Amino acid sequence: MEWLVSLVGAGLVMVTLRDLFHTLWHPTRHGGLSRLVMTALWGLARRFRARRRVVGLVGPLAMVAVVCMWAGTVILGWAIVYWPHMPGAFTFSPGSEAAQESALLDSLYLSLVTVATLGLGDIAPGEGWLRVVSPLEALVGFALLTATVSWVLEIYPALTRRRVLAIRLALLRDVDPTQRQIDCTAGAMLLHSLAIDVVRVRVDFTQYAEAYYFHDGEDNSSLAAMVGSAATLAERGQAAGRSEVRLAGDVLADALKDLATILDQRFLHTGGTPTDVFAAYAADHGRAS
């Protein structure tokens, strides 16, 4: 029975590590624990009346909630591993009052101290297999800290790329280039560069799905509000007289279609056309379609 309880704790740790792996290094379409937390917070924030102010905090708060969930489940899982073997399989420092506490409390304390790599030493594993397991928890704690830092450093450049594209589209919308201005070599280069930016954003939504739950703020930096301008430019390019401009327009249109497919598969689930998907994307982020 003791080993069965320990296996339950080990299973909880493995589930957490699997979720961390698929969130940071091998994203998939299937939502894990982190995706469930972020989706739940996003849906909850949308119900508030002060929507823009609340939704703007969802992304950062969701990342904090996910990291706390990872840390909490790792600590709890390892505590369950220790619990059935406490206190008999452990040694206590002389004068320590830890042995007078409940086995569960001592297990939680030891797990927290170990995952934080503090190494206070007042409770130490006595059996051989515990001498191996306990340092592994410290390694997991260090990996969790490193993963959290790398996650933050990766997600914000992705948000910057998305907002830069939105601002570019806003500037082009304000300039409102004519068909003649589009139908030239410079117009082809412009459409091609926009297609590259759209592909980058598409990859970001695939690699960093949590970026979807970050609100972009003002309209000019919101891709949800500006993506329609890219579709308009693609249509102008496809209707141009020069073959290179038509080609660039087709590439931009296909890039937008691919982006719409990713948004629909991973977040919106409308099953509609790219126009329908972008309208749903704008509505989900509180923007006019």
Side-chain angles (χ1 to χ4, degrees):
M1 184 63 182
E2 292 180 352
W3 289 104
L4 181 61
V5 174
S6 295
L7 286 176
V8 171
L12 184 60
V13 173
M14 294 304 297
V15 168
T16 304
L17 294 179
R18 180 187 181 277
D19 184 66
L20 188 152
F21 175 77
H22 283 295
T23 299
L24 271 64
W25 298 299
H26 186 249
T28 64
R29 288 176 55 187
H30 307 289
L33 297 175
S34 58
R35 285 288 301 278
L36 291 176
V37 170
M38 291 188 167
T39 302
L41 288 176
W42 181 260
L44 183 63
R46 291 183 61 203
R47 297 179 181 274
F48 284 87
R49 291 184 178 180
R51 188 166 181 269
R52 292 190 177 183
R53 288 179 294 176
V54 174
V55 172
L57 297 174
V58 171
L61 289 179
M63 291 185 71
V64 172
V66 169
V67 171
C68 290
M69 177 195 69
W70 286 338
T73 51
V74 165
I75 292 170
L76 179 60
W78 240 284
I80 293 174
V81 171
Y82 299 143
W83 183 25
H85 311 281
M86 183 72 69
F90 295 85
T91 60
F92 298 82
S93 60
S96 173
E97 297 182 359
Q100 301 176 11
E101 303 292 342
S102 68
L104 179 58
L105 181 61
D106 282 342
S107 299
L108 284 171
Y109 166 75
L110 176 61
S111 180
L112 180 60
V113 169
T114 305
V115 82
T117 65
L118 293 177
L120 298 181
D122 51 343
I123 303 178
E127 294 187 1
W129 71 274
L130 285 171
R131 291 177 180 272
V132 176
V133 169
S134 185
L136 285 178
E137 183 181 8
L139 289 176
V140 170
F142 181 76
L144 180 60
L145 175 62
T146 304
T148 301
V149 173
S150 64
W151 195 23
V152 173
L153 294 178
E154 289 171 352
I155 190 66
Y156 280 96
L159 296 175
T160 299
R161 288 188 289 270
R162 189 172 79 195
R163 290 163 183 168
V164 167
L165 174 58
I167 292 173
R168 282 193 68 190
L169 292 173
L171 294 174
L172 288 170
R173 180 200 61 183
D174 294 340
V175 172
D176 192 19
T178 64
Q179 186 66 34
R180 181 178 178 182
Q181 291 173 318
I182 292 292
D183 196 1
C184 61
T185 302
M189 295 175 62
L190 172 64
L191 296 177
H192 183 68
S193 67
L194 287 175
I196 293 174
D197 289 344
V198 170
V199 170
R200 288 195 181 107
V201 171
R202 181 261 191 221
V203 172
D204 286 338
F205 276 127
T206 304
Q207 187 68 31
Y208 313 110
E210 57 276 6
Y212 180 86
Y213 304 105
F214 279 75
H215 194 61
D216 288 326
E218 299 298 326
D219 285 349
N220 285 352
S221 62
S222 172
L223 184 62
M226 294 295 112
V227 70
S229 299
T232 300
L233 290 171
E235 292 173 358
R236 291 183 182 181
Q238 291 174 309
R242 291 174 175 262
S243 59
E244 66 268 24
V245 179
R246 291 198 303 271
L247 176 60
D250 289 339
V251 172
L252 178 56
D254 285 347
L256 289 168
K257 182 179 179 180
D258 195 29
L259 174 61
T261 300
I262 293 298
L263 288 172
D264 202 39
Q265 288 179 347
R266 290 176 172 263
F267 310 106
L268 299 170
H269 311 294
T270 67
T273 64
T275 301
D276 297 331
V277 173
F278 290 140
Y281 178 38
D284 199 36
H285 281 254
R287 305 296 180 186
S289 60

